[in-house]
């Protein structure tokens, strides 16, 4: 009754804005009706040095259970604090709100800029952060050797946070923090692509970027990136599957590969990649309209084969489709009919990326692209609005400068953002020559016709 009365009052007087704190009793967490956010830990104690590693342990393991009932909140922290980077890295992978309790004019803007954009938005993962499988039954505070790893998913890629939390722990007998004697051991976090649940199904090779090392590795799902962490040190690692650029060959004659990694200067920079599609037609409304009839026929025939559609434009024109019925029946978005991967018209292969951010954008490509085109995304004014490939502006694209390095790193520099809501949202098109692929595609289409 108390929980329901509180929720009713919050709904009437605070528009439903509520963070449930001190709320872990069973009668609380099973009683929520209108509120969804609940604190997953004890408080942030700025004057208690032993509390900070324990705080991160608590929010991660508690979220494993609480996240199935509520949206876990990992509490505030202070950006100008000895443990600030540890807390900031945890919030970056936690999928939670990011907020600070800084005193006026006491801020570490170098850390805050790794978490927050100039328009006030943050790069937030899609789920709540959880420990990786190999950390579920280990004591990351007291065994002297295990690093805590926390995984999460972004719209296109994944992220793993690695933490050295060895040392202090909560002693239940004395109900206080206990600090062991001696130095805190250094640990090695072995981060694998398979640490991100479901990532192994996206490919066999992965681009793995370490924020701490500022380095890129190409790994299989079972290979690891080893990260040495001292006391209270942390790292955030982006994991992104390599996608084949069919028809584009590298210097060894092998199929070229591509991956969208994210913003290397942000802690969870992979969340800046909102969408990525390989082998798309020229992005832009006019180009889409020029090919619309055949595009619709190709995609509709795949999605609704029982309707008898073919690649022939004349047969398409005489076919009547009840789109609402088909879409409702097949659970297919209308955009799938127009935005699915399409055959190009100019011997080029294209990768389209929707991204939000500013500064360096890190990609991987085993072959240097010919050019990078960019259009501003057409999104709503709310900062929660995110760029999508279906949202294009029909102006001629800009051409962005880029640098392609010998190890496959591809760096594109995005223009500076403003403080206006929805700033910094771009639709990029990367273009490679794919004459071989185009020839195969045309032959295949002729055969099928």
């Amino acid at each position: 009754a108390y929980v329901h009365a509180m929720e009713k009052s919050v709904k009437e007087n605070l528009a439903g804005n509520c963070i449930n704190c001190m709320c872990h009793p069973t009668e609380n967490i099973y009683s929520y009706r209108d509120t969804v956010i609940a604190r997953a830990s004890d408080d942030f104690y700025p004057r208690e040095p032993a509390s900070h590693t324990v705080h991160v342990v608590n929010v991660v393991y508690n979220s494993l259970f609480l996240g199935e009932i509520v949206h876990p909140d990992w509490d505030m922290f202070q950006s100008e604090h000895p443990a600030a980077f540890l807390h900031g890295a945890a919030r970056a992978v936690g999928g939670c709100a990011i907020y600070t309790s800084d005193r006026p004019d006491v801020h570490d803007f170098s850390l805050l800029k790794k978490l927050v954009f100039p328009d006030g938005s943050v790069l937030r993962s899609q789920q709540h952060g959880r420990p990786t499988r190999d950390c579920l039954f280990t004591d990351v505070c007291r065994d002297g050797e295990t690093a805590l790893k926390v995984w999460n998913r972004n719209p296109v890629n994944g992220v793993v946070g690695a933490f050295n939390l060895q040392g202090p722990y909560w002693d239940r007998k004395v109900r206080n923090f206990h600090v062991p004697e001696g130095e805190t051991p250094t640990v090695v976090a072995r981060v694998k692509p398979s640490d991100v649940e479901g990532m192994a199904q996206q490919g066999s090779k992965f681009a793995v970027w370490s924020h701490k090392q500022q380095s890129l590795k190409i790994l299989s799902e079972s290979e690891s990136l080893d990260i040495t962490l001292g006391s209270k040190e942390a790292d955030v690692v982006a994991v992104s599957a390599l996608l084949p650029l069919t028809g584009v060959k590298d210097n060894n004659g092998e199929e070229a590969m591509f991956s969208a990694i994210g913003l290397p200067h942000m802690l969870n920079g992979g969340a800046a990649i909102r969408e990525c599609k390989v082998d798309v037609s020229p992005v832009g409304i006019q180009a889409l309209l020029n090919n619309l009839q055949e595009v619709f026929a190709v995609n509709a025939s795949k999605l609704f084969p029982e309707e008898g559609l073919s690649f022939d434009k004349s047969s398409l024109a005489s076919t009547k489709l009840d789109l609402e019925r088909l879409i409702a029946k097949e659970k297919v978005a209308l955009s799938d009919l127009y935005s699915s991967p399409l055959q190009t018209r100019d011997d080029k292969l294209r990768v389209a990326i929707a991204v939000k951010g500013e500064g360096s954008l890190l990609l991987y490509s085993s072959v240097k692209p010919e050019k990078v085109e960019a259009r501003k995304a057409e999104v709503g004014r709310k900062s929660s609005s995110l760029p999508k490939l279906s949202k294009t502006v029909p102006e001629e694209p800009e051409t962005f400068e880029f640098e392609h390095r010998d190890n496959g790193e591809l760096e594109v520099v995005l223009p500076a953002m403003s403080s206006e809501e929805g700033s910094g949202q771009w639709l990029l098109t990367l273009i490679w020559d794919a004459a071989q692929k185009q020839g195969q595609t045309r032959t295949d289409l002729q055969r099928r016709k």
Side-chain angles (χ1 to χ4, degrees), residues 8-220:
K8 181 179 179 181
S9 176
V10 167
K11 191 173 183 179
E12 292 176 353
N13 300 293
L14 299 173
N17 296 312
C18 173
I19 299 177
N20 292 285
C21 302
M22 309 300 290
C23 58
H24 290 186
T26 303
E27 61 269 23
N28 281 24
I29 60 178
Y30 287 155
S31 297
Y32 298 132
R33 292 176 176 175
D34 298 314
T35 55
V36 69
I37 300 176
R39 179 71 49 77
S41 69
D42 199 353
D43 293 334
F44 170 79
Y45 296 112
R47 297 180 180 87
E48 178 55 79
S51 69
H52 302 291
T53 54
V54 178
H55 181 105
V56 176
V57 172
N58 288 344
V59 292
V60 173
Y61 285 94
N62 286 347
S63 293
L64 188 64
F65 167 70
L66 291 175
E68 304 304 317
I69 305 171
V70 297
H71 193 102
D73 175 79
W74 287 18
D75 202 7
M76 64 192 76
F77 69 102
Q78 293 177 349
S79 67
E80 184 63 47
H81 188 276
F85 186 85
L86 178 75
H87 283 282
R91 305 313 187 273
V93 300
C96 53
I98 298 175
Y99 53 107
T100 66
S101 55
D102 289 351
R103 291 168 291 169
D105 298 324
V106 182
H107 315 284
D108 182 353
F109 288 107
S110 63
L111 175 60
L112 293 174
K113 289 179 179 179
K114 296 177 184 291
L115 296 166
V116 184
F117 283 133
D119 67 349
S121 60
V122 299
L123 293 175
R124 193 167 179 172
S125 294
Q126 294 181 306
Q127 304 174 18
H128 54 282
R130 284 164 284 187
T132 59
R133 288 176 181 249
D134 55 352
C135 291
L136 284 174
F137 300 105
T138 58
D139 191 339
V140 297
C141 285
R142 293 189 286 179
D143 69 6
E145 60 182 10
T146 305
L148 172 64
K149 295 184 294 181
V150 183
W151 71 273
N152 213 321
R153 295 298 298 264
N154 294 320
V156 172
N157 46 44
V159 62
V160 178
F163 306 86
N164 182 353
L165 307 178
Q166 296 290 331
Y169 61 91
W170 180 259
D171 190 328
R172 298 181 66 178
K173 293 181 179 179
V174 300
R175 297 182 61 81
N176 205 343
F177 298 103
H178 175 77
V179 181
E181 296 181 359
E183 294 185 1
T184 302
T186 296
V187 300
V188 177
R190 294 178 172 86
V191 177
K192 299 177 291 186
S194 58
D195 286 334
V196 180
E197 297 292 327
M199 183 61 67
Q201 284 71 51
Q202 295 188 6
S204 59
K205 291 287 186 178
F206 301 85
V208 179
W209 171 264
S210 163
H211 184 275
K212 181 176 185 287
Q213 299 176 354
Q214 288 289 292
S215 64
L216 176 68
K217 301 289 184 182
I218 304 300
L219 304 176
S220 67

Side-chain angles (χ1 to χ4, degrees), residues 387-416:
K388 301 290 288 184
L389 293 180
S390 57
K391 301 286 188 178
T392 58
V393 179
E395 287 86 10
E396 286 298 315
E398 301 179 46
T399 299
F400 278 3
E401 297 293 329
F402 64 90
E403 179 183 358
H404 186 260
R405 305 184 182 103
D406 291 340
N407 66 349
E409 290 183 12
L410 177 61
E411 181 182 9
V412 179
V413 179
L414 303 175

